[in-house]
Structure formats: C-alpha cells, structure tokens
Amino acid sequence: MATAKNSSLLSMMMITLCLAISMNTSAATRRLLQIPGAPPLPTIPSLPQPTLPQMPSIPNLPTTTLPPLPAMPAFNLPNMPLPTLPSAPKLTLPPMPANIPLPTSFPNFPAAIPTLSPPPSN
C-alpha cells in the first residue's frame, strides 16, 4: 500500500515537473520570436529530388466467373402451436391522499460555519 502511494506521488511530481519545463520552454521560444530586430531564422535549403525509375504497369488480371450456387431445398417445418404464457397478476396501488401536508417552518441554520484554526507553527 505504501509503495502504491509513493509511486503515485512520484508520478504526479514528474508530471508537474515536465509540464513546468515545457511551459517555460514555450514561453521562452515565444519571447525570442517576438523580439524586434532579431536576426531572421535561417532558411532550409531545398534538396534535389531523386529521379525514380518508371514503375511497370500492373498487368490486367483475368476475370473469372463463378458457377451459380446450387438451389437450397425448402425446409418445411411442422406447424406447431406456440405455448401460451401465464397471465401476470394485476397489482393495485392504494389511493394517494388528496392533500399532502407540506412543512411550513424550516430549521434555523447558523449564520457562519465554525472552522478549526490550524495548529501553531514552530
């Protein structure tokens, strides 16, 4: 149990650290890009495109015809009567009262919620 708590705490600390580093790096990059008079970024030279040999065309494949499927014989099922389900009993609910009494007064709530003060620090 203690190992699970320690590993989850360690993983949360690592996630926090990674997020903090990535945010700082993003902010620094943005700041550098927004500086007026900054030297322009170098351009990446274009590379020559290799010439690829012509690919041979795909040969036409012969088309095949499939023989027709054999006819399936009709299965005659005997006419069997379906079983009858027993009827469910009828449930009746008691009648609802005409007037439902509503509370007219509510309990008094305290104006402020009491809080505990922290222990004194050394």
Side-chain angles (χ1 to χ4, degrees):
M1 184 69 178
T3 305
K5 286 183 181 179
N6 289 340
S7 64
S8 62
L9 180 64
L10 181 64
S11 62
M12 292 296 282
M13 288 174 52
M14 290 300 293
I15 290 172
T16 306
L17 181 66
C18 290
L19 287 175
I21 289 173
S22 72
M23 281 190 248
N24 289 341
T25 305
S26 299
T29 306
R30 180 178 294 221
R31 232 176 263 126
L32 284 176
L33 287 174
Q34 291 177 346
I35 295 176
L41 296 174
T43 58
I44 300 173
S46 61
L47 297 174
Q49 296 296 322
T51 56
L52 297 176
Q54 285 292 334
M55 298 295 289
S57 63
I58 298 174
N60 292 335
L61 298 175
T63 58
T64 60
T65 56
L66 297 175
L69 292 174
M72 296 294 288
F75 292 106
N76 292 331
L77 295 176
N79 289 337
M80 296 180 68
L82 294 175
T84 58
L85 296 175
S87 61
K90 298 269 183 181
L91 297 178
T92 57
L93 296 176
M96 293 291 290
N99 295 356
I100 299 174
L102 296 176
T104 55
S105 63
F106 295 102
N108 293 332
F109 291 107
I113 298 173
T115 58
L116 299 174
S117 61
S121 61
N122 293 335

